Amino acid sequence: MDTILTINKNQQFKIKQIESEYSLKKKLFTMGIHSNDIYIKSNGSKNGPVIIRNLSNNASQIAIGKELASKILVEPLGE
Amino acid sequence: MNRTVALVGQPNSGKSTLFNVLSDIKTSTSNFSGTSVKVSECKINVYGETVKLIDLPGFYSLNYTDQAEKVTFDYIAKNKVDLIVNVVDAGLIARGLELTQELIETGIPMILALNMMDDAKAKGLEIDVKKLSEKLNIPVVPMTAIFGKGVRNLIDEIYKQFKSNSYNPNIFRYTAHIENCIHQIENNINTNNQIFSKRFFAIKTIENPTLIKEIEENIDITRFSDIVKSIELEHKIESFEAISYERHHIAMKLAEEVRKFVKKSHGPFSTKIDSYLLDPVFGYVSLLLFFGLMFFVIFFVGSYITSFTDPIIGNIIEAYQPLREVNIILFLTFDGLFQGIAGALGIVMPYFIPLILVGSFLEETGYIARAAFMLDNLFNKFGLNGKSVSAFLMGIGCNIPAIYATRILDSQKDRLISAILIPFIPCSARITVIFSLTAAFAGPIWAVVVFLFILLTIAINGKILSKFLKNPLGMVIEIPDLRLPSFKVTLGKTYFKLKDFVREAVPFLILGSIALSYIEYYQIAKILDTLMYPVLHYALDLPEKLGSTLIFGFLRKELILIMASQALGVNSISELPMTLNQIIVFIIFVSLYFPCVTTFFVLMKEFGYKVAFGSAALSVVVATVAAFLFRLYFEITNFIF
């Protein structure tokens, strides 16, 4: 399955699963990152880090390090 | 007793700016998540009543994930807050309302300050404030705190709230199954807590049971484990995720009801610039340009100013020399006093002011978060992540706030590695020493060499430390919109930092300088010099008279410049009787050994005495080895300037 790391820049996507430990999952949730919202990978290469923006709630951008980005499984949209 | 109003909100929502406006005191704010990591307090006048106003570090949720957020949670949980002013960035209203709901669940009376309305309008967002207030059933005050707009209305609402003493917010309801579980827990939980509502306890039992234990140890949450399990079975996700997910959707729905998108008044400044600043090629070029430019501006401005001040100071010192014959005590006191003041004005200030001015400017723009993004992969190689960048950059100004800033890091391991490495970062005091000595002797290239060497030392130490403290978590950081810094705010911040410096460092400089005058006269320095003799003479080949200078440098590093001149009997540092090779070895040692006594105590306070002593010992060993290697290099290669 694709991760935020593997998809291309400017690709819109939905988060399907976060395969991370409790503390980082909690961090992502509290910062407004949830499954089923629509996001865009606004910056970052496949070597990380990446920047995503939640398009569903017009939130600010969140930068995520390579390690964690590779654990966020996504479904690319519009393909 | 004064009533307490706490400003609470997510990072970058403008709390500290609002605090500044309300208190008319300059506290340090910046466009970077979690810069306020300490509680600020002041007294304000609300229609004749003196009220205690508290600015708490920004947090995304009461379910804190780092030490800075814990500071806020602890304050709310352990202090009687009479009124919360929930500051929300109007442009990010959907996300902000998630925290608003959580705060409503606490049961503490609250007003919503909808800040940065001007920015939201520019982004094309129109918010129906009246409707939002009706939906929440709490007062909502639209404002743009940076320009003081709406602040008077906020004071009015605080006054009204105090006067009416009634608070009945609309409680947001979760889906039926979760609501049912909340009710069951709420009806069976035993607590007499005076701060939080029973509903809050019930929700947190499901969402974050560890938080309950922190507030009230006596509550037996295991009684409710079956209820919590039923949520996980019903929703097929973990219980904290279920609550968080529903809260997110309630906030989104509410935001959609009260906001509408209209035409943007101008294009997003941030997006256009970001395409360059975050580009894999231009991003690094701009990073190098920014910091290179910062470095050279500070170096040249500082050396230009000192070229004027040095001769004046020298002339004054010459002028009062006859006083020595008249009254030696008076002479020693006056000499120490003058050299302390002259050191602050003539040596420290020329570098310190440009440094904090440029630093404040960068903080205001929001560039530091971009730097964190660009440097994340590099920092990973040294066992850290990009989030440490802000603490490290802050360390260039002063190591003390930098150590506090490690509170924003998500893991204890990241905090510990950063806190041990931060004392190696040349703070403004050590930059002053480096710049002053290289400007007087070796030129800017050697300043660059010294800085690169220090970076290398930090990298090697980080790599070694990360081997022992392995637990990579990775970076999650908000990238705030870029802001055009306000000249007034940048100057205000510079003033605030300068004031701090004058208050905290100048007395040390003056007292240290007076003490040294006496130490030199009564030859006490000889004892200290003897203590340092093995290191200075055998390992570093430096004048043994610098021993006491280095010991005093532990109080404040700026003292070294004044004291080295005093100890070696010259009026200006450019007259120091040392070879250029010795100057470089001296700079390397001074730059790497422990920054100052205050940093030591802050480390002890934050991490315990083991870390503080360990860090100090490590820095002395690293400084000695590094300076010795330079000496060895000069000797082997017969390198002479």
Side-chain angles (χ1 to χ4, degrees):
Chain A
M1 196 170 198
D2 280 315
T3 68
I4 309 184
L5 206 58
T6 58
I7 58 169
N8 293 326
K9 190 179 159 184
N10 294 325
Q11 172 71 55
Q12 292 191 13
F13 63 91
K14 271 187 180 183
I15 292 174
K16 298 313 287 179
Q17 204 183 331
I18 301 168
E19 290 184 333
S20 172
E21 61 188 80
Y22 173 73
S23 60
L24 269 175
K25 245 183 183 177
K26 198 166 89 175
K27 182 92 197 165
L28 291 172
F29 291 154
T30 58
M31 290 178 85
I33 295 176
H34 291 270
S35 47
N36 290 329
D37 283 0
I38 298 172
Y39 295 85
I40 185 166
K41 177 174 172 176
S42 56
N43 223 308
S45 69
K46 292 182 179 178
N47 290 319
V50 299
I51 297 180
I52 63 169
R53 184 191 285 276
N54 187 333
L55 296 174
S56 304
N57 69 358
N58 193 39
S60 59
Q61 303 189 96
I62 306 285
I64 300 171
K66 182 182 177 177
E67 189 79 19
L68 179 59
S70 69
K71 291 176 179 166
I72 302 178
L73 309 182
V74 300
E75 176 197 337
L77 300 173
E79 282 190 337
Chain B
M1 210 171 83
N2 296 327
R3 282 194 268 202
T4 304
V5 174
L7 301 182
V8 175
Q10 295 184 333
N12 300 310
S13 56
K15 276 181 302 80
S16 299
T17 307
L18 177 60
F19 182 81
N20 284 346
V21 175
L22 285 168
S23 64
D24 211 23
I25 295 169
K26 290 272 169 276
T27 60
S28 197
T29 66
S30 79
N31 192 9
F32 184 80
S33 309
T35 309
S36 310
V37 290
K38 289 198 286 186
V39 177
S40 305
E41 185 183 322
C42 73
K43 298 264 164 60
I44 58 166
N45 188 316
V46 178
Y47 290 104
E49 180 181 344
T50 304
V51 171
K52 189 159 88 172
L53 183 71
I54 305 289
D55 180 25
L56 295 170
F59 70 160
Y60 292 98
S61 161
L62 287 161
N63 304 308
Y64 62 83
T65 55
D66 60 48
Q67 288 302 307
E69 292 188 333
K70 188 177 186 305
V71 169
T72 300
F73 174 76
D74 283 348
Y75 191 92
I76 297 173
K78 291 169 188 167
N79 295 276
K80 178 91 182 77
V81 174
D82 297 287
L83 182 67
I84 286 176
V85 173
N86 174 208
V87 186
V88 172
D89 175 354
L92 299 173
I93 188 170
R95 198 189 66 188
L97 286 173
E98 287 185 43
L99 177 61
T100 305
Q101 281 179 75
E102 226 187 322
L103 292 170
I104 287 176
E105 285 162 3
T106 64
I108 302 169
M110 189 167 87
I111 291 174
L112 199 149
L114 201 54
N115 195 19
M116 303 187 195
M117 288 294 280
D118 286 6
D119 275 359
K121 201 174 168 192
K123 281 182 191 168
L125 263 180
E126 214 172 78
I127 296 167
D128 188 337
V129 175
K130 193 168 168 271
K131 193 171 178 183
L132 179 62
S133 178
E134 283 166 8
K135 289 269 173 195
L136 298 169
N137 202 29
I138 61 171
V140 177
V141 183
M143 60 168 53
T144 301
I146 196 162
F147 301 122
K149 286 186 198 170
V151 175
R152 172 54 54 193
N153 295 341
L154 179 67
I155 295 282
D156 290 346
E157 286 301 337
I158 293 173
Y159 176 69
K160 276 189 215 163
Q161 186 61 44
F162 281 165
K163 220 176 163 192
S164 74
N165 228 0
S166 76
Y167 177 67
N168 294 302
N170 282 337
I171 306 290
F172 294 94
R173 300 291 168 193
Y174 295 87
T175 46
H177 180 257
I178 291 182
E179 257 324 305
N180 188 26
C181 294
I182 292 171
H183 279 299
Q184 282 184 55
I185 300 173
E186 206 177 341
N187 293 334
N188 291 293
I189 205 160
N190 287 324
T191 171
N192 294 318
N193 189 281
Q194 299 294 307
I195 292 170
F196 295 120
S197 68
K198 270 199 170 181
R199 182 175 169 83
F200 173 83
F201 277 100
I203 293 169
K204 290 301 172 211
T205 302
I206 299 168
E207 188 187 17
N208 192 358
T210 50
L211 218 55
I212 303 283
K213 284 181 205 153
E214 284 182 37
I215 309 166
E216 277 200 41
E217 282 178 6
N218 300 331
I219 295 181
D220 180 17
I221 45 172
T222 53
R223 286 168 57 209
F224 309 112
S225 52
D226 285 347
I227 300 176
V228 176
K229 264 185 203 144
S230 78
I231 292 177
E232 292 178 353
L233 283 172
E234 174 80 16
H235 292 261
K236 296 184 178 59
I237 46 177
E238 288 169 76
S239 55
F240 79 91
E241 197 173 342
I243 295 276
S244 170
Y245 187 74
E246 292 209 1
R247 197 181 279 134
H248 175 66
H249 280 273
I250 293 168
M252 291 246 286
K253 193 165 164 277
L254 181 60
E256 273 165 27
E257 283 172 357
V258 298
R259 76 173 175 205
K260 65 176 177 186
F261 289 95
V262 290
K263 204 170 176 263
K264 292 176 184 176
S265 63
H266 58 75
F269 161 75
S270 202
T271 319
K272 286 177 206 157
I273 309 279
D274 265 349
S275 59
Y276 292 102
L277 293 183
L278 301 173
D279 183 85
V281 179
F282 286 114
Y284 288 111
V285 173
S286 52
L287 196 72
L288 281 174
L289 270 177
F290 266 120
F291 291 110
L293 196 67
M294 181 173 155
F295 187 91
F296 279 99
V297 165
I298 295 164
F299 186 89
F300 285 110
V301 170
S303 53
Y304 183 72
I305 297 173
T306 40
S307 69
F308 288 103
T309 53
D310 267 2
I312 301 170
I313 292 168
N315 288 340
I316 298 174
I317 292 173
E318 285 299 319
Y320 67 72
Q321 288 307 310
L323 192 63
R324 181 186 279 268
E325 308 303 325
V326 181
N327 184 330
I328 190 67
I329 297 294
L330 189 66
F331 171 79
L332 290 174
T333 312
F334 183 77
D335 185 48
L337 181 73
F338 177 77
Q339 296 223 29
I341 295 170
L345 290 176
I347 303 170
V348 179
M349 293 298 187
Y351 296 104
F352 186 72
I353 294 174
L355 183 77
I356 54 174
L357 188 68
V358 176
S360 304
F361 179 84
L362 273 184
E363 275 179 17
E364 271 302 295
T365 57
Y367 181 68
I368 291 172
R370 272 89 187 153
F373 172 78
M374 296 306 296
L375 292 172
D376 183 56
N377 278 351
L378 181 70
F379 269 53
N380 282 342
K381 293 191 191 343
F382 311 126
L384 290 166
N385 68 62
K387 212 171 168 181
S388 300
V389 168
S390 70
F392 276 55
L393 289 178
M394 235 178 247
I396 297 173
C398 177
N399 286 180
I400 296 155
I403 287 169
Y404 282 123
T406 61
R407 288 179 180 178
I408 67 165
L409 301 177
D410 299 311
S411 85
Q412 187 61 16
K413 166 244 170 190
D414 286 346
R415 280 198 78 202
L416 198 55
I417 296 181
S418 300
I420 294 173
L421 295 181
I422 281 167
F424 287 115
I425 297 167
C427 58
S428 55
R430 278 175 292 173
I431 289 175
T432 304
V433 176
I434 296 168
F435 279 1
S436 304
L437 288 173
T438 49
F441 289 91
I445 295 302
W446 272 98
V448 176
V449 171
V450 169
F451 275 101
L452 290 178
F453 183 78
I454 292 169
L455 288 180
L456 183 71
T457 309
I458 293 171
I460 293 170
N461 277 288
K463 190 79 189 164
I464 295 168
L465 284 171
S466 67
K467 296 279 175 210
F468 293 103
L469 300 159
K470 219 174 165 70
N471 174 30
L473 272 174
M475 173 182 72
V476 187
I477 188 178
E478 185 177 350
I479 308 278
D481 283 349
L482 283 170
R483 280 201 302 236
L484 272 175
S486 137
F487 189 62
K488 201 177 151 192
V489 173
T490 306
L491 278 185
K493 288 180 75 168
T494 308
Y495 166 77
F496 172 73
K497 289 176 186 169
L498 190 62
K499 205 172 126 192
D500 258 8
F501 173 80
V502 170
R503 200 178 53 218
E504 287 171 19
V506 172
F508 266 116
L509 288 174
I510 293 173
L511 289 176
S513 178
I514 294 174
L516 195 81
S517 277
Y518 282 92
I519 283 169
E520 284 296 318
Y521 182 75
Y522 292 109
Q523 302 197 333
I524 303 165
K526 274 193 176 169
I527 303 163
L528 300 175
D529 292 344
T530 314
L531 275 174
M532 291 291 285
Y533 184 79
V535 172
L536 285 177
H537 185 76
Y538 295 114
L540 309 179
D541 187 29
L542 290 175
E544 58 198 71
K545 276 195 157 188
L546 291 175
S548 49
T549 306
L550 291 175
I551 288 176
F552 269 79
F554 181 63
L555 294 177
R556 295 284 313 180
K557 275 291 189 306
E558 302 92 325
L559 275 173
I560 283 175
L561 289 175
I562 304 162
M563 295 186 140
S565 309
Q566 275 176 285
L568 299 177
V570 292
N571 291 338
S572 149
I573 49 159
S574 56
E575 296 168 17
L576 289 176
M578 288 158 79
T579 66
L580 294 175
N581 293 7
Q582 283 179 313
I583 289 286
I584 298 299
V585 170
F586 182 61
I587 294 174
I588 291 292
F589 186 83
V590 168
S591 307
L592 291 171
Y593 92 99
F594 209 75
C596 66
V597 68
T598 326
T599 305
F600 181 82
F601 284 119
V602 170
L603 257 184
M604 189 137 76
K605 192 171 144 242
E606 289 285 297
F607 296 92
Y609 72 95
K610 278 185 190 166
V611 172
F613 278 103
S615 169
L618 177 74
S619 75
V620 173
V621 171
V622 169
T624 310
V625 171
F628 176 72
L629 287 177
F630 263 82
R631 179 201 164 183
L632 212 60
Y633 171 77
F634 289 146
E635 282 181 6
I636 290 170
T637 59
N638 269 330
F639 186 94
I640 299 168
F641 279 90

